[in-house]
Amino acid sequence: MSAAPIISAFRQALTEAWAGGAGALMPLGFFAGAAVLVPLGIGTDPNTLRAVGPGILWVALALASLVTLERIFQADVEDGALDLWLQTGAPASMIAAAKAFAHWLTAGLPLAILSPVFAVMFQAKADTSLLTHMGLYALGGLAFFFWGGVGAALSATVRRGGLLISLIALPLYVPTAIFGALAMSGGPGSTGAPLFLAASTLFALAVAPFAMGAALRLAAD
Amino acid sequence: MFSWFANPHRFLTLSSWLAPICYALGALLIAWGLWQGLWIVPKDEYQGGDIMRVMFLHVPAAWLAMASYMGMAVMSFIWFIWRHEVADIAAKAIAPLGATWTALCLVTGSIWGKPTWGTWWQWDDARMMSVLFMFFLFLGYMALRGAMDTRQKAARAGAILAMVGAINVPLIKFSVDLFTSLHQDASVITVDGPKMAAVYLWPLLASGLGHSLLFAGLVMTLMQAEIWQRRAAQIRARLIAGD
């Protein structure tokens, strides 16, 4: 077994994110859209915005991951790239993990890095906590992309599988969303929450690749 | 042991007499439990008066919601490892029934919650949320199976999803448990034995067992239907081939 197919899958995912209509900017637009529409929808009271801001960004991050995931494995099934990778004997789970990680790099991490800008738009105080929050968004986003990848891999052969991915991924997103929101709430239970968030992300990194791999082998049949 | 049950023919012979027994016993137990629960037992003012009688439907539904998801996951596991077709047929049959009882649990819980807690739905209650997400897991499982174009693919995709869901259930449960719970604590199965007065306990146990038997009977009937459908499809394929 060589690492070549895994690296190839990783690089292909990175390049296709930037090729053809700047796919990586799409979730960013989605994120920005949510951030702009929410104050218009729920009113502009600074206290309300400060209270709901972190939660809105978590929801926008989760939804942005779902928007990008629909196509991540489908294209490889259709153009035969998946068959070629699997023929080399490379573990399907590692290929899937490389692709999910690449998508997090191109669509999840930029959102986390930009989160302080949106947080300030939601009237958050501009201090170092925004950097901590950036780290939490990055960490939680990783779990979103891996669990979402399970849904995407399972529905890779299904045309218009978007709804299916959402339905599959929604319950799997719950722990991350809860721990993430708790960690930023500052309320009771918020001190241990970042550790729980990290633990649930590690759990996703450990379990999701095997589920994605099994699903990809099914899609390649 | 699994292999003994893996033979569809053996399953059909077994279920042909076991399913009617399940239906008959289940109907008797549910009828007795409901009769006791709705007319005989005294009402408990602390739990909201007469509305607490919904317990004799709500608790069995909650128990079956959990048991059926675990059953589906175990069947998926057996199919995934040993490829016993009957296990897949069982997992497929459990899904819609499990979703039904899970929905029943949510609805009866809301009906009980409105007069006693003053709200139909409480987002910071751990158990309500766990059950809701379990309902979504069932829906996702059925939607995924429905979207696959062959039976084999549906079985494989469904098994993967059911197993991923099953190992996530404890994590989901734990995460929602971090929220404060407003739901009453467990009162039937506790370390010190049941805390509930015997006058409620027996009708409740009868009702729970009755619902379980009804569920088992329905699963067997759905499985029989699936096996006959597969055989019919085989015969049709053979006729078209002109054998």
Side-chain angles (χ1 to χ4, degrees):
Chain A
M1 179 207 116
S2 77
I6 298 165
I7 296 165
S8 144
F10 182 71
R11 290 181 52 182
Q12 180 244 32
L14 283 186
T15 39
E16 85 184 3
W18 291 107
L25 293 181
M26 206 253 283
L28 214 55
F30 190 86
F31 204 52
V36 172
L37 286 177
V38 164
L40 298 180
I42 65 169
T44 52
D45 175 43
N47 289 322
T48 315
L49 286 182
R50 196 173 297 132
V52 301
I56 298 287
L57 292 186
W58 272 111
V59 173
L61 180 63
L63 294 179
S65 73
L66 286 179
V67 171
T68 50
L69 283 167
E70 183 174 356
R71 291 287 299 168
I72 86 170
F73 296 118
Q74 232 169 36
D76 301 327
V77 174
E78 283 164 8
D79 67 12
L82 182 67
D83 291 329
L84 290 178
W85 288 329
L86 291 182
Q87 267 175 16
T88 61
S93 53
M94 293 309 294
I95 290 171
K99 290 214 66 158
F101 185 70
H103 273 263
W104 170 77
L105 272 184
T106 51
L109 196 56
L111 301 191
I113 291 172
L114 279 175
S115 69
V117 180
F118 292 112
V120 169
M121 284 171 73
F122 279 111
Q123 311 290 344
K125 284 198 204 69
D127 56 20
T128 50
S129 72
L130 291 184
L131 294 177
T132 326
H133 288 187
M134 190 200 282
L136 293 176
Y137 285 124
L139 200 60
L142 198 54
F144 284 152
F145 274 81
F146 269 71
W147 286 131
V150 175
L154 279 171
S155 46
T157 53
V158 179
R159 288 191 184 283
R160 308 184 64 76
L163 173 68
L164 199 53
I165 297 175
S166 312
L167 201 53
I168 292 171
L170 188 71
L172 304 178
Y173 279 12
V174 170
T176 308
I178 287 179
F179 293 140
L182 262 185
M184 293 183 188
S185 68
S190 65
T191 43
L195 292 176
F196 285 130
L197 180 68
S200 71
T201 301
L202 282 177
F203 182 69
L205 292 181
V207 173
F210 295 102
M212 285 192 278
L216 283 188
R217 277 195 296 274
L218 161 67
D221 270 0
Chain B
M1 187 196 109
F2 301 132
S3 310
W4 194 85
F5 288 109
N7 180 333
H9 182 71
R10 205 172 277 146
F11 169 78
L12 284 178
T13 357
L14 178 79
S15 62
S16 67
W17 56 269
L18 196 55
I21 291 180
C22 283
Y23 285 131
L25 268 179
L28 276 177
L29 284 168
I30 292 174
W32 185 76
L34 279 184
W35 172 64
Q36 286 283 318
L38 294 184
W39 283 284
I40 305 299
V41 301
K43 60 187 174 187
D44 183 342
E45 291 301 339
Y46 179 69
Q47 289 296 338
D50 271 328
I51 192 68
M52 55 71 70
R53 297 179 193 277
V54 77
M55 172 178 81
F56 296 98
L57 198 53
H58 176 66
V59 175
W63 143 246
L64 271 170
M66 288 182 282
S68 60
Y69 194 82
M70 288 325 289
M72 192 174 84
V74 169
M75 286 303 152
S76 299
F77 181 76
I78 292 174
W79 183 84
F80 202 74
I81 303 295
W82 290 284
R83 290 289 195 273
H84 289 333
E85 280 307 315
V86 175
D88 174 56
I89 293 170
K92 186 184 176 188
I94 290 172
L97 296 170
T100 309
W101 260 270
T102 311
L104 187 68
C105 174
L106 288 170
V107 171
T108 52
S110 279
I111 292 171
W112 194 359
K114 181 61 184 163
T116 44
W117 299 339
T119 173
W120 295 105
W121 187 258
Q122 185 74 24
W123 277 104
D124 62 11
D125 181 73
R127 289 187 220 186
M128 290 167 97
M129 284 184 39
S130 304
V131 172
L132 178 67
F133 295 128
M134 213 147 64
F135 183 60
F136 281 127
L137 285 170
F138 274 122
L139 290 189
Y141 178 86
M142 287 191 284
L144 182 65
R145 282 195 80 118
M148 292 288 151
D149 46 8
T150 67
R151 195 157 54 75
Q152 275 291 323
K153 282 188 175 179
R156 260 170 86 178
I160 295 168
L161 180 61
M163 290 189 291
V164 169
I167 52 177
N168 264 283
V169 163
L171 186 64
I172 295 174
K173 181 85 178 73
F174 174 73
S175 67
V176 293
D177 267 345
L178 270 187
F179 287 148
T180 50
S181 179
L182 155 100
H183 201 290
Q184 63 159 310
D185 289 331
S187 51
V188 174
I189 302 171
T190 62
V191 185
D192 310 325
K195 281 193 292 195
M196 191 179 273
V199 62
Y200 298 125
L201 186 64
W202 285 109
L204 185 60
L205 286 180
S207 198
L209 188 61
H211 276 269
S212 307
L213 287 171
L214 173 64
F215 191 93
L218 285 171
V219 167
M220 280 190 260
T221 303
L222 277 188
M223 287 171 70
Q224 287 171 333
E226 174 78 19
I227 292 173
W228 289 119
Q229 266 175 11
R230 290 185 184 188
R231 292 197 177 169
Q234 271 172 6
I235 293 170
R236 209 174 299 132
R238 221 174 289 154
L239 283 178
I240 290 169
D243 277 352

